[in-house]
Amino acid sequence: MHDLIIVGGGAAALAATSYALGKQLDVLVIYEQLGGKTGQHFTLQSESDHLVSNILVNLAFPSEQLVGEAQFAGEETVHLFERQIKARSGVAMRDRVLNVARRDDAFQIETERHGYQHSTALLIATGVAPRTLDVRGAREFLGLGLSYSATTYARLLNGKTVAVIGSNDRTLQGVAELARTVAQVYLIWIDPEPNTSSLMDLLRRTPTVEVIEQHQVLEVRGTSAVEQVLIERDGQQRALDVDAAFVEVGLKPMSSIVHDLVKMTADGFIEVNERNETSLPGLFAAGDVTTAFGEQVLIAIGEGARAAHSAYRHILEKLLARTYAGLD
């Protein structure tokens, strides 16, 4: 039986694994994709209709993959964790976790290809997936000028024209960041209810922002990358010429494997306290899948290390209890 099993392959999971290795724990990390949100790509189209290789950065969001802000300052650290873990035999297992159960005083993790694994403590760092835009062209241009994280690329889009499609606080934050550097940003607010927040009011008065409400997005267009977003209101269509488009319609936490074990929010985020403990003793959680949602690589690294630290304390207590059971 392992001391600690970590489920996930992103920044939080890798940081937790690195911490556990430093404490000489018998740790196993089960992942579907190492690197998580730092392992994807995104390209823009140049004025000459060729993909701009020097704007190649690491973030696109295929269905059910992790999503968040790929903060470049944290990516090298994540890659360092990857190399450390890959160099240790028996630490990493590429597989899909099907089910998690509590058995006596331990956890039983059922995997698709490697059967059952058991551990004293369990750490969930499975991240989130984007709620996708279901219109023509959205899937085709994923990673080719269309992405699900506007704030990631704000500094790469100087002088560009950008559309942000969404209906939540992440939408507004993304537009606010982009407005500092781009030539024009179209905020396409798809919620039928108007937003009355102070940030929306400020965006309405920002010269580089055009707020577009009560419109439906019909299509994302382009040749080799995004060039237009087609919208409609009351039968009147409008084509917005853009260099990039970002979708911020919500995130889905990948928490179903522990749905029956721990407390969650109505949206499925795992509730954790300041030590990354869940409502079930011995089960910890870190990263974007939790209510300590930070959506940045550097924050996820810290959360993962803290969760592993808490798990380590739990493991020590269990070890001491077993060693000195029955002794006064």
Side-chain angles (χ1 to χ4, degrees), residues 159-270:
K160 301 293 185 179
T161 299
V162 180
V164 180
I165 304 161
S167 58
N168 52 41
D169 288 340
R170 293 178 74 246
T171 312
L172 301 182
Q173 180 179 332
V175 172
E177 291 196 36
L178 287 164
R180 299 175 60 200
T181 58
V182 301
Q184 173 76 57
V185 54
Y186 297 108
L187 167 52
I188 305 172
W189 188 257
I190 59 175
D191 191 328
E193 296 297 323
N195 184 285
T196 58
S197 69
S198 58
L199 182 52
M200 175 64 97
D201 184 56
L202 289 170
L203 291 174
R204 292 182 191 280
R205 292 184 277 137
T206 302
T208 55
V209 176
E210 180 181 344
V211 177
I212 301 172
E213 296 177 281
Q214 298 180 330
H215 279 70
Q216 178 184 1
V217 178
L218 299 180
E219 184 180 1
V220 179
R221 294 173 169 175
T223 51
S224 56
V226 171
E227 296 174 16
Q228 285 187 335
V229 175
L230 182 65
I231 59 176
E232 181 185 53
R233 178 181 178 180
D234 299 331
Q236 298 296 313
Q237 295 186 358
R238 179 183 176 189
L240 305 174
D241 293 327
V242 298
D243 298 298
F246 298 98
V247 181
E248 301 281 7
V249 293
L251 299 171
K252 178 174 65 176
M254 309 299 284
S255 59
S256 61
I257 57 173
V258 292
H259 185 268
D260 297 327
L261 295 179
V262 298
K263 287 184 179 179
M264 297 185 182
T265 67
D267 294 331
F269 290 94
I270 300 172

Side-chain angles (χ1 to χ4, degrees), residues 272-289:
V272 293
N273 63 15
E274 68 279 2
R275 293 190 293 271
N276 291 87
E277 298 169 325
T278 71
S279 58
L280 179 62
L283 200 159
F284 305 84
D288 295 347
V289 74

Side-chain angles (χ1 to χ4, degrees), residues 3-4 15-27 84 88 305 308-313 315-316 319:
D3 294 324
L4 175 64
T17 306
S18 180
Y19 180 95
L21 288 173
K23 295 298 184 181
Q24 298 183 317
L25 293 179
D26 179 353
V27 59
Q84 177 189 18
R88 301 287 290 269
H309 173 74
S310 298
Y312 178 52
R313 176 172 174 169
I315 292 163
L316 287 178
L319 177 62

